[in-house]
Amino acid sequence: AQALSDLEAQGLAVRGGEALRELARRLRDFAGVTQVEPPTGLTVELRPYQRRGLDWLQFLRGYGLAGILADDMGLGKTVQTLAHLLLEKEAGRLDRPALVVAPTSLMGNWRREATRFAPALRTLVLHGSGRHAHFDAIPNQDLVLTTYPLLPRDQDRLRELSFHTLILDEAQTVKNPKSQAAGVVRTLKADHRLCLTGTPMENHLGELWTQFDFLMPGFLGDATRFKRHWRTPIEQYGDTARQQRLTRRIAPFMLRRRKQDVAAELPPKTEIIKSVTLGEAQATLYEGIRLSMEKRVRDAIAAQGLARSQITILDALLKLRQTCCDPRLLQLPAAARVHASAKLDLLMDLLPGQLEEGRRILLFSQFTSMLVLIEAELSRRGIRYAKLTGQTRKRDEVIETFRSGAADLFLISLKAGGVGLNLTEADTVILYDPWWNPAVEAQAADRAHRIGQDKPVFVYKLVTEQTVEERILALQDKKRALAERMYGEGGGEAQLAFSAEELQDLFAPLGQD
């Protein structure tokens, strides 16, 4: 656009590309993002930073651009988006429905917030086995909600339609451009596109490229060119100048605010690492598994190379992590002979005192089988709890059990409850097992530390000493550094590609730092 504008400025006759030339003229005269008045039908008063977010969303729409609303978890990306869509309706521009694609766990949240904050928006939820009966009603809606898993099944019907706006919530869900959902969203027709995510980049720049390839295809080139021109120089060679150029290139199209910058009224969040040493039997089991898994990984790398051995590596690391959590997670004869878990004992020492002090606790684990073991210990001690996993059928009822105070402890699987929950009733978060990237842990902690919280929040990370878990914490620092260079904060869960040096550290023997 700028090149065409320069040609015209030099008096050269340019034909064709009217839309592009008009964009160039508008950008040439651009004086800043215009402030807009929130829609009259919005039932909540937007905070100042949320009003700036609405201004930015209106700017993108006005210029025919797309972008990523990448505010920190808990800062109200949903309400800003609803305000934007409601303003479009009140201005007479919402001539077709907006389609929101989100994780299944967020359907209830979107429906509730639309009803509460933007009741004038006619909202349709496409979910469940009876959803096909509602497809004919889509054109008469303002807001249509569906889920990533349903996209491949419903793609033929959705491709027949044209939407005003296509919005991907928790957009990192389609970080893999080869996934079915990522392929379908690229084929849907919409005038405007928007990504919502607190973690626009996770472990590497390729995930950022995937979102921009959906938003504005070609803006960052194809995947091969992007890797050669941007990702490899920045990630492998630390090319700071190129990283700064990439940051400047994407800056107009990614709005990111951190809680510490815009929500000064939030109470403090304190992170505490609680570590424990493995007992003799558990340590012996860990070393035995480490040795056998290390040999398996070496053999796989020798046979097929490092890049093609990632599944084997992840499986080996999974077994080590399970050993740290509780040997009973392993389906191995050697593990069945170990009847002690240092970390479970640590948890059971920690919980009673916290509950006696009146703490209301969210306890996260990535392993639903670990939550089952914790349940048994809680029942033995007569401790009341609620539990949310991917198998929970009556999700809203379980959440209300905790919110109402019927239980002061909420067991949550990271996959089922790591996003989309607003649980400011809690003031304590316990992360039973660490994950590779700090932002997936931040997402869990921010179920409590978010707008509406009026109490200090304490986050406890349980870690077994001198094991793979301690090395995961060190790996988190590396992943955080790349994200901070790009946009100031860490990202979330993603598949990993380990270097040889990282593998050596992860498979180090007990006691070796």
Side-chain angles (χ1 to χ4, degrees):
Q2 186 59 52
L4 289 175
S5 178
D6 291 343
L7 290 174
E8 286 189 315
Q10 295 171 23
L12 295 177
V14 180
R15 296 179 182 175
E18 287 297 333
L20 199 58
R21 289 158 59 196
E22 174 60 23
L23 174 61
R25 286 189 285 269
R26 296 187 66 190
L27 292 176
R28 186 177 57 215
D29 299 331
F30 181 68
V33 175
T34 304
Q35 293 187 12
V36 299
E37 286 299 316
T40 57
L42 194 68
T43 63
V44 63
E45 183 177 350
L46 296 178
R47 298 171 187 270
Y49 72 88
Q50 292 173 332
R51 291 194 61 166
R52 301 293 78 76
L54 175 59
D55 297 340
W56 180 76
L57 291 172
Q58 286 288 301
F59 151 73
L60 290 181
R61 189 271 315 155
Y63 280 78
L65 301 170
I68 305 173
L69 180 57
D71 284 344
D72 235 347
M73 286 78 73
L75 290 184
K77 292 185 288 293
T78 303
V79 73
Q80 292 174 72
T81 304
L82 289 171
H84 168 64
L85 296 177
L86 186 57
L87 190 56
E88 289 295 284
K89 178 172 182 175
E90 292 182 359
R93 292 187 292 263
L94 196 65
D95 55 345
R96 284 155 295 140
L99 177 66
V100 172
V101 186
T104 305
S105 60
L106 298 190
M107 284 294 98
N109 184 68
W110 269 97
R111 176 182 50 78
R112 285 191 299 271
E113 296 209 3
T115 301
R116 179 182 176 189
F117 299 136
L121 290 178
R122 295 166 297 180
T123 302
L124 172 66
V125 180
L126 292 178
H127 189 53
S129 57
R131 68 188 183 280
H132 299 287
H134 303 294
F135 276 113
D136 291 339
I138 290 178
N140 300 319
Q141 307 300 314
D142 298 315
L143 177 63
V144 178
L145 308 175
T146 191
T147 70
Y148 290 107
L150 291 178
L151 278 180
R153 304 181 204 176
D154 299 340
Q155 57 181 304
D156 291 339
R157 295 298 303 271
L158 293 175
R159 283 183 181 134
E160 295 172 356
L161 302 165
S162 176
F163 297 97
H164 176 278
T165 305
L166 175 56
I167 300 164
L168 304 187
D169 191 17
E170 297 297 340
Q172 75 279 1
T173 304
V174 289
K175 57 183 173 280
N176 179 2
K178 297 180 180 179
S179 67
Q180 278 190 302
V184 173
V185 295
R186 283 161 169 75
T187 65
L188 300 182
K189 296 186 287 290
D191 288 349
H192 309 284
R193 295 188 172 200
L194 177 67
C195 287
L196 308 177
T197 174
T199 56
M201 190 186 71
E202 305 184 309
N203 283 296
H204 57 73
L205 291 170
E207 296 148 356
L208 192 63
W209 174 87
T210 300
Q211 291 180 70
F212 274 107
D213 189 57
F214 158 74
L215 293 167
M216 297 184 289
F219 173 63
L220 295 178
D222 61 26
T224 302
R225 184 175 182 274
F226 179 80
K227 183 175 182 179
R228 182 178 66 249
H229 189 70
W230 299 108
R231 186 178 168 190
T232 298
I234 293 170
E235 292 183 1
Q236 296 188 16
Y237 303 113
D239 191 330
T240 304
R242 193 162 300 200
Q243 174 262 311
Q244 291 173 346
R245 289 201 300 274
L246 179 58
T247 299
R248 287 195 299 270
R249 184 172 180 81
I250 65 175
F253 312 107
M254 184 165 69
L255 182 63
R256 180 170 180 81
R257 281 81 59 88
R258 298 179 300 169
K259 276 186 295 193
Q260 59 264 41
D261 298 328
V262 300
E265 70 272 24
L266 269 180
K269 179 176 71 173
T270 304
E271 293 189 354
I272 301 168
I273 294 179
K274 302 283 285 186
S275 61
V276 65
T277 304
L278 297 181
E280 183 177 352
Q282 195 175 2
T284 301
L285 174 66
Y286 180 93
E287 270 298 283
I289 291 175
R290 184 193 67 79
L291 288 170
S292 64
M293 291 296 103
E294 185 182 29
K295 181 180 185 303
R296 183 181 168 196
V297 167
R298 281 201 313 268
D299 292 345
I301 293 173
Q304 55 193 25
L306 179 61
R308 295 185 178 181
S309 303
Q310 297 299 311
I311 293 178
T312 301
I313 293 167
L314 288 171
D315 179 62
L317 292 172
L318 172 65
K319 288 182 170 56
L320 290 180
R321 294 171 56 234
Q322 289 174 323
T323 307
C324 294
C325 289
D326 192 298
R328 288 174 290 178
L329 298 183
L330 292 163
Q331 302 300 314
L332 297 172
R337 296 192 289 269
V338 179
H339 304 290
S341 168
K343 188 184 284 192
L344 186 57
D345 290 344
L346 172 65
L347 175 66
M348 291 306 159
D349 287 342
L350 178 66
L351 278 178
Q354 295 285 321
L355 293 170
E356 287 174 10
E357 291 176 7
R359 297 287 181 184
R360 306 206 63 208
I361 303 170
L362 308 180
L363 194 160
F364 287 91
S365 176
Q366 294 148 69
F367 304 112
T368 55
S369 50
M370 189 67 237
L371 295 179
V372 172
L373 298 179
I374 293 172
E375 275 188 280
E377 292 297 323
L378 295 175
S379 298
R380 196 171 295 123
R381 289 165 169 77
I383 297 175
R384 292 178 303 171
Y385 63 90
K387 179 184 173 186
L388 178 65
T389 70
Q391 284 72 48
T392 301
R393 294 301 182 101
K394 298 181 179 179
R395 181 183 175 93
D396 289 345
E397 289 184 18
V398 170
I399 293 171
E400 186 57 30
T401 298
F402 178 77
R403 283 181 170 159
S404 67
D408 292 326
L409 174 62
F410 201 172
L411 309 183
I412 308 174
S413 70
L414 204 57
K415 188 171 183 180
V419 297
L421 287 178
N422 186 344
L423 296 171
T424 52
E425 296 83 0
D427 55 20
T428 301
V429 178
I430 298 175
L431 304 174
Y432 191 84
D433 35 273
W435 190 232
W436 311 105
N437 197 289
V440 74
E441 296 179 351
Q443 284 179 327
D446 286 343
R447 300 311 99 210
H449 192 247
R450 59 198 296 117
I451 297 298
Q453 179 59 269
D454 57 6
K455 303 174 291 295
V457 174
F458 293 87
V459 180
Y460 292 88
K461 298 182 179 183
L462 308 189
V463 178
T464 50
E465 295 176 3
Q466 301 178 339
T467 68
V468 67
E469 291 190 331
E470 281 198 341
R471 279 110 197 178
I472 287 174
L473 295 184
L475 190 60
Q476 286 181 352
D477 292 335
K478 293 181 63 176
K479 301 300 180 184
R480 183 188 292 113
L482 174 61
E484 286 178 345
R485 291 201 304 272
M486 290 305 302
Y487 55 81
E489 192 68 13
E493 175 181 355
Q495 291 183 338
L496 298 173
F498 297 104
S499 68
E501 182 181 354
E502 288 169 343
L503 282 180
Q504 187 175 353
D505 291 338
L506 289 168
F507 285 102
L510 278 170
Q512 179 175 316
D513 295 326

